[in-house]
Amino acid sequence: MTWRETLLTGWTAVRSHAMRSLLTVLGILIGIAAVILTVGLGLGTQKDVSEQISALGSNLLIVTPGSSTDSEGMRGGFGSGATLTRSDAEALASDVNAPDVAGVAPEKTSSLSVETSETNWTTQVVGTTEDWTDVRSRELALGEFFTAEDEADQAAVVVLGAETATELFGSPDAVGRSVTIEGTVFSVVGVLAEAGADSSSDLDDMAVIPLSTAANQVMGGTSRSSVSTIYLKAASEGVLSAAYQEAEAVLLNLHGITDADSADFSINSQDALVSTATSVYRTLTVLLTGIAALSLLVGGIGVMNIMLVSVTERTREIGLRKALGAPPWAIRRQFLVEASILGLAGGVIGAALGIVAAKALPGVLGTSIVVLPAAVVGSIAIALVIGVVFGVYPAVRAARLAPIDALRSE
């Protein structure tokens, strides 16, 4: 038989038992679709995280409070103490102390209720300085940001996030209106442009006020000089490492710490956050792909099982072909072709299902799914290989049948 005749005969054999063939390739179909979706979801999530973090500034350093020691000598974990102050931020802003740091924006944050005459909304209130928009790479949709004079005068002015403005006033057009925070009436001077969300918060749901106002009128407390976070903007991506070292040296000196391992603060870069997120999602992708591979294994076993059944059903046909002079390799090739068709069919249908799901699911999951052509082609190739590999044993078994025994079978 020629290859063309072999392929036509194999296709006829598979099509003659359409329902059985479909059930046979179901495992491969599900496995291929799962692999495409898993890899695509991992790549899409990495892409989303990278875009979100990059939008905040690729040359950004984030200084957060570290561990602290109380009056009894007990040491708390990272974030347990108010170890960062406005004085730290002012020292980091000095060109002499940190020449590679181009901008500094300390933040003092708290979740508070923002009220109007008609409604209220709990949001993240951020006290910061006039350089915040430049350091955090934020833009305004309406109005303007508060000035250094507002900060010096402890002015009761506020810049709202787009979502916060909409929740309070029904639309982002809130400039000139008033809100009340902790009993103080603030005038809305600006509304931030939409920025989405990062790994920890909704960037569109916030109220930004001068740091001095936050410390003395809104958040107060016993540590008015403390800040929650200090954001540093390096002069360029090329000097990010130098800016990191300068900031660390300044803070260690200010806090009287000689061993960096005992620092009561931590400094993270956007690159580090991207690398961490990528590592996590890569691990999850590998894990989920392994689970999907089990479905492919089950599908391969199903192909082997149905091909063994086919050999048993067609024993007399095999004996007749051998009696008419068909060599063992022709019988073996026939059954390998049929197994390959089953594997290829499962791969093609599974790939199509995976692509359709990749187009539909992002709207439901709220995350991107990136389908690479190489992943689709590779998945189909894997399905074909599975069909061939798991079809070898049934094909060899069919080729080894003795003609006389096959013709005598019932």
Side-chain angles (χ1 to χ4, degrees):
M1 294 179 67
T2 64
W3 272 105
R4 181 175 181 278
E5 292 172 329
T6 301
L7 290 172
L8 288 175
T9 303
W11 172 247
T12 301
V14 171
R15 192 177 59 180
S16 63
H17 299 89
M19 181 56 69
R20 187 172 72 180
S21 298
L22 178 61
L23 294 175
T24 300
V25 303
L26 193 58
I28 296 178
L29 183 158
I30 294 174
I32 293 298
V35 168
I36 290 176
L37 284 176
T38 300
V39 174
L41 184 60
L43 293 173
T45 306
Q46 291 177 29
K47 172 176 169 287
D48 290 345
V49 171
S50 297
E51 289 178 349
Q52 291 168 1
I53 294 178
S54 296
L56 300 179
S58 57
N59 54 344
L60 191 66
L61 293 172
I62 306 169
V63 187
T64 53
S67 56
S68 62
T69 304
D70 63 19
S71 59
E72 298 180 355
M74 298 297 292
R75 190 170 177 81
F78 270 81
S80 61
T83 60
L84 294 178
T85 65
R86 181 161 187 174
S87 297
D88 293 332
E90 292 172 350
L92 291 170
S94 169
D95 292 337
V96 176
N97 295 333
D100 292 308
V101 175
V104 178
E107 283 188 3
K108 190 178 185 70
T109 61
S110 181
S111 181
L112 300 172
S113 176
V114 180
E115 304 172 358
T116 67
S117 58
E118 299 179 353
T119 186
N120 65 81
W121 179 253
T122 300
T123 187
Q124 191 78 358
V125 177
V126 179
T128 187
T129 58
E130 67 279 0
D131 294 328
W132 184 82
T133 51
D134 178 56
V135 175
R136 295 296 304 273
S137 299
R138 296 298 300 271
E139 297 181 356
L140 275 81
L142 298 169
E144 58 185 13
F145 204 69
F146 53 78
T147 64
E149 288 74 16
D150 293 328
E151 161 65 19
D153 296 339
Q154 300 184 26
V157 292
V158 61
V159 177
L160 300 178
E163 182 180 341
T164 308
T166 301
E167 292 291 343
L168 291 171
F169 300 105
S171 75
D173 187 11
V175 176
R177 302 193 182 189
S178 298
V179 298
T180 302
I181 306 176
E182 292 294 291
T184 300
V185 179
F186 285 79
S187 176
V188 180
V189 296
V191 176
L192 295 167
E194 294 185 1
D198 61 11
S199 58
S200 60
S201 62
D202 185 349
L203 299 178
D204 295 328
D205 188 10
M206 60 172 56
V208 187
I209 62 177
L211 180 58
S212 58
T213 309
N216 296 300
Q217 299 182 37
V218 178
M219 302 174 194
T222 56
S223 10
R224 295 176 184 267
S225 63
S226 67
V227 295
S228 309
T229 310
I230 300 176
Y231 288 91
L232 307 177
K233 179 181 179 181
S236 67
E237 291 186 48
V239 298
L240 187 63
S241 178
Y244 180 101
Q245 295 174 7
E246 292 165 3
E248 183 180 52
V250 169
L251 292 175
L252 288 174
N253 182 57
L254 286 175
H255 295 192
I257 300 172
T258 56
D259 183 7
D261 292 335
S262 301
D264 57 358
F265 61 88
S266 64
I267 305 177
N268 293 299
S269 68
Q270 297 293 68
D271 288 342
L273 295 176
V274 171
S275 298
T276 301
T278 300
S279 176
V280 170
Y281 288 121
R282 185 182 295 116
T283 301
L284 290 175
T285 299
V286 171
L287 177 62
L288 294 175
T289 301
I291 295 174
L294 293 177
S295 178
L296 291 175
L297 178 61
V298 173
I301 294 173
V303 170
M304 179 184 289
N305 180 64
I306 207 64
M307 291 308 299
L308 288 173
V309 171
S310 181
V311 170
T312 302
E313 290 179 345
R314 297 158 63 186
T315 300
R316 291 181 62 84
E317 174 194 330
I318 296 169
L320 181 59
R321 291 181 62 183
K322 281 196 167 187
L324 294 175
W329 62 262
I331 304 298
R332 186 164 52 247
R333 186 174 70 178
Q334 179 66 52
F335 282 90
L336 280 176
V337 165
E338 293 180 19
S340 301
I341 290 174
L342 291 173
L344 182 61
V348 171
I349 298 173
L353 181 62
I355 293 172
V356 171
K359 298 295 184 182
L361 288 179
V364 178
L365 300 178
T367 185
S368 300
I369 299 180
V370 178
V371 178
L372 298 177
V376 175
V377 174
S379 298
I380 294 175
I382 290 173
L384 179 60
V385 170
I386 288 174
V388 173
V389 170
F390 284 89
V392 168
Y393 175 69
V396 171
R397 181 172 176 178
R400 288 179 177 175
L401 286 175
I404 189 64
D405 293 333
L407 289 171
R408 285 178 176 175
S409 66
E410 295 295 334

